[in-house]
Amino acid sequence: VLTSCATIHRFIGTACHPIESRQMPGSFWEEEKQQSRRPFSFEKIVYKDCSIPNPSWNKDIRLLFDQFMQKCEDGSWTRLPSYRRGSTESIQDFKTLLRDGQITKEGHITQTNLFTRSFEDGLGFEYVMFYNDVEKRMVCLFQGGPYLEGAPGFLHGGAIATMIDATLGMTAIMAGGIVMTANLNINFKRPIPLCSVVVINSQLDKVEERKFFVSCSVQSVDEKTLYSEATSLFIKLDPDKSLT
Amino acid sequence: MIRTGFRVAARFGQHRALLRAPSLQPRLSPAPACGSSTDSLVSRFCPEKTDLKDYALPNASWCPDMLSLYQEFLEKTRSDGWIKLPSFKSNRDHIQGLKLPSGLAVTSDKGDWRIFTRCIQVEGQGYEYVIFFHPSEKKSVCLFQPGPYLEGAPGFAHGGSLAAMMDETFSKTAYLAGEGLFTLSLNIRFKNLIPVGSLAVLNVDVEKIEDQKLYMSCTTQSRDQQTVYAKCSGVFLQLKLEEESPQ
């Protein structure tokens, strides 16, 4: 698994080309004929990129998305696609895909898809991440829907913790390959209203051998409200050891 | 059951426990939420009769470990003062008649809310869990089985899903132990990965309540306690809910 994941990581670095903001293709589906359960026929599996605007995205997240897409034009920032399978393929296919290192013809396997498979647009996690490789910074635009509620009208602490872990984790992965969360420390300053948009700014602070120290802040779109801050430690996996 | 009832009543000294013969666990009589005592919070939180679906009940996706540990705790609700917490689709269902203080309450035109840990309703795919709470000892045990939708590393639950389960268990414990409402901080040390579909047991204790804050600790382990999955400390803010004005 780990060797294959490392291969995929290399592809992440090279195959993630920024998308021309003027030329959004009509559809982000990799349109292929759907076939049931054939793990090695990847050309038959349909993948959908979820980290692009859909009708549930409000004007705040759309505006920021456009701003960051402009920043992608000179190559300093890259949008990370977030793929989920568009039909009912089982996890087994995806695991086989990772295990055998085979990927779609464009090398677009990036992050886990935060269990959004069963949600209609806008009900759960709507997000997109942009990465700056020179500064080792990740920006995640996140709009949490009504299925992520905690206290009435507010986002569940666990939902923002999940998003923070995902953003910090991706920052570490981009820098170091396959990593695991070791420590996660979150300070919640203010509760986040449901269906609002927040910006998670994360950066790689320090690397010590296999330790990756990453921190982030969660702010409102106008940067006037600080919702939370987090620090974390991720450990790069030793390729010679198994996961358990 | 009568013995338990008197024990509970003696400890709190405020409410008489009425006993319902055929029920699975001792029930406290419904009390007005004028006091903030744990038992009044519990009785309001656990409605006697409801049409709401309780998701914290065994279903076909529960692994044998989870089922048998569930039965053990169910026994403890009959004799040792534990209470099984119901788990509804939305947190709003747990606090009917109550609302956030006026500075915080938000109105919304949306109708379909779900508590995050019940967002996936397909059995066995997301968070399968049940929380048992001990009112006098102010501690909780959560039986948690992560489904395939919570996968991070292939075959294992991702860190964020355990963070969310810890936050949710803290949340219910904090609310019933002392009207804790909002998470102030979570400090998690992950030790081992939880295989998808297996049982993880979260033990939560309230360490202290001070300056309007509840301080709690949580250890997540395998059932045999041989594997520690994570340790966490959490702090919650106390905030009293208000009665909704009659309409």
Side-chain angles (χ1 to χ4, degrees):
Chain A
V1 170
L2 299 174
T3 321
S4 315
C5 288
T7 311
I8 289 160
H9 170 63
R10 208 173 55 240
F11 276 92
I12 291 169
T14 55
C16 258
H17 45 266
I19 293 165
E20 307 297 335
S21 60
R22 303 249 185 294
Q23 282 180 329
M24 289 268 236
S27 161
F28 277 80
W29 291 89
E30 304 223 348
E31 295 205 359
E32 309 286 0
K33 223 160 66 158
Q34 190 176 332
Q35 183 120 23
S36 62
R37 314 286 161 100
R38 286 240 242 121
F40 297 96
S41 330
F42 295 115
E43 58 276 9
K44 306 278 178 10
I45 298 174
V46 181
Y47 284 89
K48 181 185 174 193
D49 180 358
C50 301
S51 285
I52 48 148
N54 66 53
S56 74
W57 284 31
N58 68 26
K59 64 174 174 31
D60 282 339
I61 191 172
R62 282 175 191 271
L63 192 63
L64 280 170
F65 179 84
D66 290 340
Q67 286 172 7
F68 273 92
M69 289 305 290
Q70 291 204 324
K71 293 194 206 207
C72 288
E73 281 174 9
D74 66 3
S76 58
W77 287 85
T78 309
R79 184 187 72 91
L80 300 191
S82 167
Y83 280 87
R84 83 167 116 132
R85 279 186 312 285
S87 60
T88 55
E89 270 80 16
S90 68
I91 298 287
Q92 201 48 53
D93 291 350
F94 199 60
K95 265 197 232 178
T96 313
L97 189 147
L98 285 175
R99 183 173 61 237
D100 299 320
Q102 298 189 39
I103 48 184
T104 64
K105 53 186 193 278
E106 282 162 49
H108 280 174
I109 304 300
T110 53
Q111 49 201 303
T112 56
N113 37 27
L114 292 179
F115 48 90
T116 59
R117 254 163 276 163
S118 63
F119 297 159
E120 289 163 24
D121 287 346
L123 293 174
F125 294 91
E126 293 293 339
Y127 67 96
V128 54
M129 295 196 199
F130 291 90
Y131 184 62
N132 185 317
D133 192 40
V134 169
E135 298 175 31
K136 303 287 183 235
R137 282 178 52 203
M138 185 81 69
V139 170
C140 174
L141 313 177
F142 168 48
Q143 179 186 297
Y147 281 13
L148 310 183
E149 193 176 57
F154 294 99
L155 203 58
H156 194 285
I160 191 65
T162 298
M163 210 60 234
I164 286 173
D165 179 57
T167 307
L168 295 170
M170 273 317 284
T171 313
I173 287 174
M174 296 307 278
I178 299 300
V179 293
M180 298 272 156
T181 326
N183 295 343
L184 182 59
N185 203 320
I186 307 175
N187 285 315
F188 299 84
K189 311 277 186 192
R190 300 187 67 82
I192 299 173
L194 216 49
C195 306
S196 68
V197 176
V198 295
V199 181
I200 307 175
N201 274 291
S202 100
Q203 63 276 330
L204 182 65
D205 293 322
K206 189 169 64 167
V207 180
E208 268 176 23
E209 292 178 23
R210 286 192 293 123
K211 293 189 193 166
F212 290 76
F213 296 86
V214 198
S215 63
C216 76
S217 66
V218 182
Q219 293 178 291
S220 58
V221 164
D222 61 8
E223 294 178 9
K224 289 192 179 147
T225 308
L226 177 65
Y227 290 112
S228 34
E229 289 176 314
T231 58
S232 67
L233 169 63
F234 286 78
I235 310 282
K236 184 183 168 83
L237 294 183
D238 186 342
D240 298 325
K241 289 194 186 149
S242 73
L243 281 171
T244 50
Chain B
M1 284 184 74
I2 294 174
R3 213 171 345 112
T4 311
F6 282 137
R7 214 191 307 148
V8 167
R11 279 203 186 125
F12 292 112
Q14 293 178 38
H15 302 274
R16 300 195 73 87
L18 291 174
L19 304 161
R20 305 273 183 265
S23 72
L24 290 175
Q25 60 206 34
R27 297 270 190 195
L28 302 169
S29 61
C34 51
S36 56
S37 65
T38 295
D39 68 330
S40 71
L41 287 161
V42 167
S43 67
R44 191 144 185 181
F45 191 87
C46 307
E48 284 283 339
K49 276 191 191 131
T50 178
D51 293 328
L52 296 164
K53 178 171 167 163
D54 181 356
Y55 286 90
L57 288 171
N59 63 55
S61 74
W62 285 26
C63 64
D65 265 347
M66 187 149 170
L67 284 166
S68 70
L69 195 56
Y70 174 81
Q71 288 302 324
E72 275 183 39
F73 271 93
L74 216 54
E75 278 300 315
K76 295 192 205 207
T77 64
R78 293 174 198 127
S79 52
D80 288 344
W82 287 85
I83 291 179
K84 185 197 92 69
L85 299 185
S87 175
F88 304 132
K89 196 172 82 169
S90 165
N91 252 345
R92 295 159 190 256
D93 296 326
H94 284 291
I95 54 165
Q96 283 179 7
L98 296 168
K99 63 180 169 70
L100 289 173
S102 15
L104 281 166
V106 286
T107 50
S108 166
D109 55 350
K110 297 196 196 291
D112 194 10
W113 302 283
R114 292 189 193 171
I115 185 174
F116 172 51
T117 44
R118 294 290 178 203
C119 61
I120 298 157
Q121 298 195 304
V122 182
E123 279 181 5
Q125 295 299 300
Y127 294 90
E128 288 292 340
Y129 68 96
V130 53
I131 301 175
F132 291 89
F133 175 66
H134 199 291
S136 58
E137 295 185 27
K138 294 197 181 352
K139 64 183 186 188
S140 295
V141 172
C142 172
L143 313 185
F144 170 43
Q145 181 183 298
Y149 281 12
L150 306 186
E151 194 174 62
F156 298 96
H158 73 78
S161 69
L162 180 57
M165 196 68 253
M166 286 168 161
D167 181 62
E168 176 54 21
T169 311
F170 278 149
S171 168
K172 294 296 181 278
T173 311
Y175 177 71
L176 295 171
E179 296 182 288
L181 217 53
F182 289 106
T183 322
L184 290 176
S185 68
L186 288 175
N187 189 323
I188 310 172
R189 281 92 59 210
F190 295 93
K191 310 281 181 194
N192 282 293
L193 296 170
I194 304 174
V196 162
S198 72
L199 172 69
V201 184
L202 286 74
N203 279 282
V204 167
D205 286 283
V206 177
E207 305 288 345
K208 67 178 176 185
I209 303 178
E210 161 181 296
D211 293 338
Q212 256 193 304
K213 291 184 242 189
L214 288 102
Y215 294 79
M216 292 165 287
S217 63
C218 172
T219 304
T220 306
Q221 303 173 79
S222 58
R223 185 189 181 165
D224 59 10
Q225 300 184 349
Q226 294 300 303
T227 311
V228 175
Y229 293 121
K231 293 196 180 192
C232 178
S233 52
V235 184
F236 270 66
L237 178 71
Q238 272 183 325
L239 203 61
K240 206 170 167 53
L241 293 173
E242 294 174 355
E243 293 286 340
E244 266 179 353
S245 32
Q247 279 156 18

